[in-house]
Amino acid sequence: MNVKNNVLKVLSGEESDITPVISVTQVAVVEAMEKTNAFWPEAHTNAEKMATLGSSLYELAGLESARIPFCLTVEAEAMGCKVNLGGEDRTPQIAETPFRNASDIEVPDDFLSRGRIPVVLEAVEILKEKYGDTLPIVVGITGPFTLAGHLLGVENLVRYMKIRPSEIETAIDNSLDACMDYAEAISEVGPDIICVAEPTAAPELIDPLQFKSIVKPRLEDLANVIKTKKVLHICGSTQPIIRDMASIGYDGISIEEKVDIKTAKQDLGKGGKVIRVGGKTMNMGGETSSKIVGNISTTQTLFRSSPEEVKAEVKQALEDGIDILAPSCGLAPRSPITNIKAMVEARNEFFGI
């Protein structure tokens, strides 16, 4: 089986003999760093190390994708924020932002040559040269709403949405310009999938009506400039917005374990015909034809549980009709490789291979 073709077939809405098992979110774990000698924080700034670590779970556990980078601070840094790159088991965080007001946000003329953007683009090219015909290459980017939150502070963003809504929409639009420039640059170097992460748009943080009126139109604009397959990831209990997520124009929507797969499939089935093929529920089209990606728990199952417990959760997700198996969010850096192997083994056992 060519794992790249299999993933792309599913995202294209074609029937597949086996459900892919990939990650569209953060994949670096400390055990893999030790085995490949590609450690954080160096792998955030060195393209060779980034590519090595981003493909490490394919090499060590059979995960059917490579995925880079390992955080959501690349764009904010290029916009002018100071970033603490963290350590071996700590992801980068925004340390300081120069933006005090929404009106301050502007995309620098040299945005695409700043910070780690050139490193990410080079790492894609390295991965393409090594795996281009066999392994799907996934690049994660930050959504415009989340980027605006990084630039202004999430608390300020949510508060200003209530008291200065027009000003905030301008800030999000300016952030969108940066996201679109970055997405176009990534598309040009030719990965297979771009995953747009919008964790700040979770229903726990903003009202679903605000998602529909403010976030959704910008995500549609961003989808229109992405020339690869594209997946939208939003954290949390996204059931209230799942039909909106699926109708934006992304080939897949990535969900956490808080979302019930069967209910989500039923909701999305209202926009297209759903049939049962080879033990899998397949959405055959319609306005909500996005494939569901996820939702094996990263905070509990893949991080803390036994391989047997991982396998049980994976097989239940397959029974429920998940389209593409994946961690529910970014892997915790101390997650054991044996649990990632267990994901792949459980999928194989389910399909009898």
Side-chain angles (χ1 to χ4, degrees):
M1 177 184 68
N2 183 299
V3 297
K4 174 177 175 175
N5 290 344
N6 192 46
V7 172
L8 298 182
K9 278 176 64 177
V10 174
L11 287 175
S12 298
E14 300 176 30
E15 183 179 336
S16 171
D17 294 330
I18 185 169
T19 301
V21 53
I22 70 171
S23 182
V24 296
T25 50
Q26 199 287 113
V27 297
V29 297
V30 173
E31 190 178 350
M33 297 179 200
E34 293 168 348
K35 290 179 181 295
T36 61
N37 195 35
F39 289 89
W40 286 352
E42 184 183 6
H44 298 304
T45 58
N46 180 296
E48 290 281 355
K49 299 286 187 182
M50 181 179 289
T52 296
L53 189 56
S55 58
S56 62
L57 293 184
Y58 166 69
E59 298 288 352
L60 298 171
L63 193 70
E64 295 170 347
S65 62
R67 202 279 191 185
I68 58 170
F70 314 111
C71 69
L72 294 177
T73 63
V74 172
E75 298 93 328
E77 182 181 48
M79 289 286 285
C81 292
K82 291 184 179 179
V83 172
N84 181 331
L85 289 177
E88 183 179 282
D89 59 359
R90 291 183 294 111
T91 56
Q93 302 291 326
I94 305 298
E96 185 179 330
T97 175
F99 305 103
R100 296 292 173 261
N101 300 293
S103 58
D104 296 336
I105 297 175
E106 292 184 359
V107 184
D109 292 338
D110 59 346
F111 172 68
L112 293 175
S113 63
R114 298 177 66 167
R116 286 168 286 152
I117 288 179
V119 176
V120 174
L121 299 179
E122 183 182 352
V124 174
E125 293 175 336
I126 293 169
L127 288 168
K128 279 187 61 183
E129 184 174 352
K130 186 173 184 179
Y131 300 110
D133 295 329
T134 58
L135 188 69
I137 299 163
V138 184
V139 179
I141 68 173
T142 310
F145 188 70
T146 297
L147 178 56
H150 286 166
L151 301 179
L152 294 172
V154 174
E155 290 183 1
N156 288 335
L157 177 69
V158 174
R159 180 165 56 89
Y160 290 163
M161 284 179 68
K162 298 177 182 178
I163 63 175
R164 304 179 190 172
S166 60
E167 185 178 343
I168 282 300
E169 292 208 44
T170 299
I172 299 169
D173 283 335
N174 290 341
S175 297
L176 173 62
D177 289 340
C179 295
M180 292 172 72
D181 288 348
Y182 187 33
E184 287 180 326
I186 294 171
S187 295
E188 287 176 5
V189 294
D192 301 290
I193 302 166
I194 290 177
C195 178
V196 178
E198 275 285 28
T200 308
E204 289 89 342
L205 292 175
I206 65 169
D207 187 275
L209 290 177
Q210 291 177 314
F211 177 83
K212 191 180 189 75
S213 63
I214 297 175
V215 181
K216 181 178 177 180
R218 277 78 181 185
L219 288 173
E220 289 174 338
D221 290 342
L222 182 55
N224 288 335
V225 305
I226 296 175
K227 305 307 180 186
T228 68
K229 292 298 181 186
K230 42 193 173 282
V231 174
L232 173 63
H233 174 82
I234 299 180
C235 299
S237 301
T238 51
Q239 198 74 55
I241 61 172
I242 201 155
R243 280 186 60 80
D244 281 319
M245 289 174 64
S247 65
I248 293 174
Y250 290 78
D251 302 290
I253 55 172
S254 171
I255 60 171
E256 289 196 355
E257 67 273 14
K258 295 176 183 178
V259 179
D260 181 76
I261 296 170
K262 286 184 177 180
T263 303
K265 297 290 284 191
Q266 290 170 358
D267 287 347
L268 302 192
K270 296 174 184 177
K273 184 180 179 183
V274 176
I275 62 175
R276 191 78 174 168
V277 178
K280 305 191 299 297
T281 301
M282 298 195 69
N283 190 315
M284 301 305 292
E287 65 172 343
T288 56
S289 59
S290 295
K291 300 305 171 186
I292 299 180
V293 182
N295 65 340
I296 308 306
S297 169
T298 52
T299 57
Q300 180 60 44
T301 309
L302 293 173
F303 179 36
R304 302 177 187 276
S305 298
S306 67
E308 290 72 24
E309 290 169 314
V310 172
K311 288 186 176 184
E313 188 167 321
V314 166
K315 291 177 182 178
Q316 186 60 59
L318 289 166
E319 288 284 356
D320 291 344
I322 196 74
D323 294 307
I324 296 179
L325 273 168
S328 65
C329 197
L331 290 173
R334 293 289 177 183
S335 300
I337 288 178
T338 53
N339 280 354
I340 311 305
K341 287 182 178 179
M343 284 183 65
V344 181
E345 291 169 356
R347 187 279 311 271
N348 292 346
E349 291 168 8
F350 185 87
F351 286 93
I353 60 173

